[in-house]
Every structure is written in structure tokens, then in C-alpha cells.
Amino acid sequence: MQHATRRFATRTLISHVLLLVVIIASVIVATRSVYEGARRQAMTQAIVRQELLARQTSRGIGNFYDSILSDLNLIKHAEEHAGTDADAMTAAVWNQLQGRVTHLFAYDRASNTVTRRFGDEDKIFPVQQTETWRKF
């Protein structure tokens, strides 16, 4: 009887140990699977974020150099029109701004007056009656 009890206890203990090993193995496999999935998702998010930052950076650099080239084109245009009337220069500035402003005007510092304006109609309008709009 003692031998049967000992054998029963041994079999029970071995079966419980094997069951514990199976459970631990399944937990390790599940943990590894969750880790790999989270890692894959994090890597995907990092790649998407890096691509977005790269696009934004390249767009910003492109806009920066576009504005520099735009200024250089304006200077070139101004040098081409050097010695011509102010209306031609105002037209060059208006074309350079390409609709980014609604009105453009020339201000005479000496008389504190607006001498010309360039507006929505894409024409230069000399100001008929110049008024001092800035008083000290």
C-alpha cells in the first residue's frame, strides 16, 4: 500500500510539474508573440513618422530655397528695369508676389504720402489725391 501511495504521489507530482512546464512554455510563447507584434507595430509607426518628418523637412527646405530664388529673381528683374519708371518696378514686384497680396502701394517717405497703388484689377493706379496718412 505504501508503495502504491508513493507511486501515486510521484505520478501526481510529475504530471503537475509537466503541466507547470507546459503552462510556462505557453506563457513564454504568448509573451514572445505579443513582444514581436508590439515591436513590429512600433517599427511601423517609427518608419511612418520618419517618412512624415522627412517629407516635411524636404518641403520646408524646398520652400526656403524657393523664397531665396524668388528674391534673386526679383533682384534680377529690378536690375533689368533699373532706370525705368517706378510703375514698371511696381509691376515687377506685383508679378513676383503672384497673388499672395491683394494690394500693393508705393509710399513716399519725403512727403509721407501714398503715390501709387496696385490692386485687384492688375493695373497701376496713380493716386489722384495724396493725403498724409501717417501723422506724428
Side-chain angles (χ1 to χ4, degrees):
M1 180 82 142
Q2 222 177 11
H3 183 59
T5 307
R6 191 179 275 182
R7 207 169 30 168
F8 175 75
T10 304
R11 284 183 186 168
T12 306
L13 183 63
I14 290 174
S15 65
H16 280 93
V17 168
L18 288 176
L19 187 59
L20 180 63
V21 168
V22 168
I23 290 173
I24 289 174
S26 64
V27 168
I28 289 172
V29 168
T31 302
R32 184 73 178 163
S33 174
V34 168
Y35 169 77
E36 289 296 324
R39 184 176 185 276
R40 214 175 10 257
Q41 183 180 5
M43 291 296 287
T44 303
Q45 285 178 349
I47 289 170
V48 168
R49 185 167 187 236
Q50 289 295 319
E51 289 172 351
L52 175 65
L53 289 173
R55 279 194 306 271
Q56 288 175 340
T57 302
S58 67
R59 195 175 309 126
I61 291 170
N63 288 340
F64 174 74
Y65 283 110
D66 284 344
S67 69
I68 290 174
L69 290 174
S70 176
D71 291 343
L72 291 175
N73 286 336
L74 180 62
I75 292 170
K76 177 184 169 192
H77 210 37
E79 288 173 352
E80 290 173 357
H81 294 297
T84 61
D85 62 341
D87 290 342
M89 187 60 197
T90 306
V93 170
W94 181 257
N95 289 334
Q96 184 68 30
L97 293 174
Q98 297 175 355
R100 289 180 277 178
V101 296
T102 57
H103 289 81
L104 185 66
F105 62 90
Y107 174 74
D108 184 13
R109 289 186 191 181
S111 64
N112 289 334
T113 58
V114 174
T115 56
R116 289 178 306 281
R117 72 179 175 89
F118 198 62
D120 292 329
E121 296 83 16
D122 291 341
K123 296 178 185 174
I124 298 175
F125 298 99
V127 176
Q128 302 296 334
Q129 197 174 37
T130 59
E131 296 179 17
T132 304
W133 60 276
R134 191 174 110 188
K135 297 181 181 177
F136 295 99

